[in-house]
Amino acid sequence: MSSVEVIHSLPVWVLAAIFVGVCVGFSVGLQLIVRWHYGIDRLQLNHEVAGFKYSVVGVAYAVLLAFVVFGVWSEFDRTDQTVQAEAERLYNLHRNSYNFPDATGSKIREAIIGYAIEVRDSDWPMMERGYRGSKTASEAYTKLSFTVGQTKPKSIELLPSVIHAMNLIQEIADLRLERLADVNGHMTATIWWVMLLGVIVTLAYPAFFATREIAPQILMTAGLAAIIGAILFLTVNLNFPFSGPDRLTNEPISNVIERMLAENRAHAGQS
């Protein structure tokens, strides 16, 4: 099972608890071990120098986290817009098909709905598991593209509708590729490793400090670690737009399918 499938299978509270729990357990556990091994008096000798260095480390890692969270949030929002735009283009193409003769328009509408259903029923489950689409959805798009491509204007009045249909089918292809490219996020392995290094250093630094009262120190350390764990959870959640707890659903495609089917029934009733 891939990491994306694991993220998809876990409830949101379990995933959040894992990130926060691991960070808190590592930071507090390391602090208690170092405190027990070296003693309070020896650790307090480090406060002046370690405190200055820790502030530098904290600022540097805060800048990195802000950059990463902003980046993944921007990509998540862009992916959402891509899904919405693909659904809109499908609906526009469906509406445009009514400008053609009944036989031609009917074939186009059938191909559009067939592709949309494959996106909803085949593409989406595959994307949620970390795979870039399904073969059946790809074949359905090929059929749609071929059907639109075979449309020939029999009069000059139909030429604008044919050109518009060609433009829409190309936009649908581009949006589909963008959607599938976003399945596994945009954070590279280098960024993940740098973030992991920053997490380890930031969570380990409190072990160089010691106070006479252990309970307040544990609470402060746990609070810091919990915040870092929550930010990591947010980053993972947003980086996988189709697999995380707040994943994008197929609702825009489903809504368009319902609208197109309703219009087809209304059009058939008027014929």
Side-chain angles (χ1 to χ4, degrees):
M1 181 178 290
S2 66
S3 58
V4 176
E5 290 178 299
V6 172
I7 293 172
H8 173 64
S9 63
L10 292 176
V12 58
W13 67 270
V14 173
L15 193 62
I18 290 174
F19 276 95
V20 173
V22 169
C23 289
V24 171
F26 170 76
S27 188
V28 173
L30 181 62
Q31 185 178 70
L32 293 176
I33 292 174
V34 173
R35 182 188 180 98
W36 170 78
H37 188 270
Y38 290 101
I40 299 175
D41 294 333
R42 188 171 180 182
L43 289 175
Q44 286 182 333
L45 298 175
N46 300 325
H47 283 192
E48 184 174 350
V49 176
F52 169 75
K53 292 182 178 180
Y54 190 45
S55 64
V56 175
V57 171
V59 171
Y61 193 59
V63 172
L64 174 63
L65 285 180
F67 168 75
V68 171
V69 171
F70 176 77
V72 295
W73 169 252
S74 299
E75 291 298 335
F76 184 90
D77 185 61
R78 186 186 64 80
T79 303
D80 184 27
Q81 294 177 13
T82 298
V83 173
Q84 298 284 350
E86 184 179 5
E88 291 172 1
R89 300 306 190 278
L90 287 171
Y91 181 70
N92 290 340
L93 182 58
H94 182 268
R95 294 289 298 169
N96 185 66
S97 69
Y98 287 109
N99 296 326
F100 299 110
D102 288 343
T104 302
S106 178
K107 289 182 180 179
I108 295 176
R109 289 191 291 275
E110 180 183 351
I112 294 171
I113 294 176
Y115 168 68
I117 290 175
E118 287 297 333
V119 170
R120 181 192 64 187
D121 297 342
S122 300
D123 256 358
W124 232 266
M126 295 293 289
M127 293 189 301
E128 289 175 346
R129 294 166 53 196
Y131 299 101
R132 295 187 173 181
S134 67
K135 181 179 179 181
T136 54
S138 179
E139 292 172 348
Y141 173 78
T142 301
K143 179 182 178 181
L144 171 60
S145 178
F146 179 79
T147 303
V148 174
Q150 292 299 304
T151 304
K152 300 294 189 295
K154 295 184 179 180
S155 64
I156 193 65
E157 290 81 6
L158 282 178
L159 185 58
S161 296
V162 173
I163 295 175
H164 186 43
M166 296 297 183
N167 290 335
L168 286 173
I169 201 69
Q170 184 58 54
E171 291 177 10
I172 291 171
D174 294 340
L175 292 167
R176 170 179 168 78
L177 291 176
E178 288 183 30
R179 168 169 55 82
L180 297 180
D182 293 340
V183 167
N184 290 316
H186 294 271
M187 287 184 60
T188 64
T190 302
I191 296 178
W192 282 118
W193 281 111
V194 171
M195 281 195 63
L196 180 61
L197 176 62
V199 168
I200 294 174
V201 172
T202 306
L203 294 181
Y205 241 96
F208 292 97
F209 301 90
T211 60
R212 291 294 175 183
E213 296 293 332
I214 188 172
Q217 186 176 7
I218 291 177
L219 290 175
M220 289 186 289
T221 303
L224 171 65
I227 292 175
I228 293 177
I231 294 176
L232 287 177
F233 163 73
L234 177 64
T235 302
V236 171
N237 183 25
L238 295 177
N239 188 59
F240 300 103
F242 300 104
S243 302
D246 294 320
R247 56 184 172 271
L248 300 176
T249 67
N250 58 20
E251 183 179 359
I253 301 296
S254 298
N255 291 339
V256 164
I257 292 173
E258 293 178 3
R259 291 170 63 187
M260 292 188 295
L261 290 175
E263 291 186 3
N264 284 355
R265 290 191 292 268
H267 180 75
Q270 295 173 359
S271 300

